[in-house]
Amino acid sequence: MMVRSGNPAVRLGTLISAVALILLNAGEAGWPQSRPPSLGLQEPEPQAAPPMPASSAPPAGEENPGLINEMGKLFDKLPSILPPIKSPSETMNDLSRLATPSTMVSGRVVCPVSSNGAPDCKQAADQLCQGKGYKEGKSLNADSAEKCSAKVLIPGRQRKPDDCRTDTFVTSALCQN
């Protein structure tokens, strides 16, 4: 029966009842049913399991391969996977062994030019630290300045590319023993 009403509430009610009817019919298909009648053929009856001897017990604690069981196994293994938790004092001792004492020094040492033409400021930082009594250092701050020959000051003379060069200096370094 088709309902052609202009009222949206009636249409909605009809639609809801149609969907409910479809769901009820679909739900009935999933309910267990009795055995369908056979057409004159006889099927063999299922064999009963042989009786178990009295000495053997059923397997205890069979594994259930579900998600919850697998997560339980993971939590059982978790303590062996994670490293042991250290106390705060042990952690501080480990950190203090890793950190070497260092001091920041300031000065001005020119970075020598390496074979590729770039300034080698690691060597200059080492020189700056060795001048202050330390073993080696790392450059923290560098400065550069243009150094020109006196020929540039001659009035009327054209400046040539080799008249000036840029020098790089290490001005502060982090020194270690």
Side-chain angles (χ1 to χ4, degrees):
M1 170 181 186
M2 290 187 83
V3 177
R4 294 188 183 233
S5 171
N7 188 349
V10 173
R11 283 192 206 159
L12 181 63
T14 306
L15 179 65
I16 291 174
S17 62
V19 169
L21 201 97
I22 292 171
L23 291 175
L24 284 175
N25 286 338
E28 289 176 3
W31 292 103
Q33 298 177 358
S34 63
R35 192 170 164 175
S38 63
L39 301 174
L41 300 174
Q42 290 192 359
E43 297 178 11
E45 292 295 320
Q47 296 288 329
M52 294 177 58
S55 63
S56 67
E62 286 188 17
E63 291 287 324
N64 182 4
L67 176 66
I68 303 298
N69 188 40
E70 293 299 319
M71 288 179 66
K73 288 180 188 177
L74 177 69
F75 284 125
D76 289 342
K77 295 177 186 176
L78 198 59
S80 65
I81 295 171
L82 296 176
I85 297 174
K86 295 182 178 181
S87 69
S89 62
E90 291 173 329
T91 304
M92 290 305 293
N93 289 340
D94 290 346
L95 288 175
S96 66
R97 274 186 250 132
L98 291 175
T100 57
S102 57
T103 305
M104 188 178 98
V105 297
S106 59
R108 188 171 171 93
V109 176
V110 67
C111 299
V113 179
S114 64
S115 61
N116 65 358
D120 183 13
C121 291
K122 170 65 175 145
Q123 186 178 352
D126 288 344
Q127 287 177 356
L128 180 63
C129 289
Q130 288 166 0
K132 305 283 183 176
Y134 294 97
K135 184 177 176 183
E136 66 175 346
K138 289 185 178 181
S139 173
L140 288 178
N141 197 8
D143 192 14
S144 60
E146 188 175 56
K147 187 174 184 180
C148 297
S149 69
K151 295 178 190 176
V152 176
L153 300 175
I154 299 174
R157 181 177 180 279
Q158 292 292 330
R159 188 171 176 176
K160 295 184 180 163
D162 60 341
D163 285 343
C164 297
R165 72 171 191 260
T166 302
D167 287 337
T168 305
F169 301 92
V170 171
T171 56
S172 63
L174 190 64
C175 301
Q176 297 177 345
N177 282 334

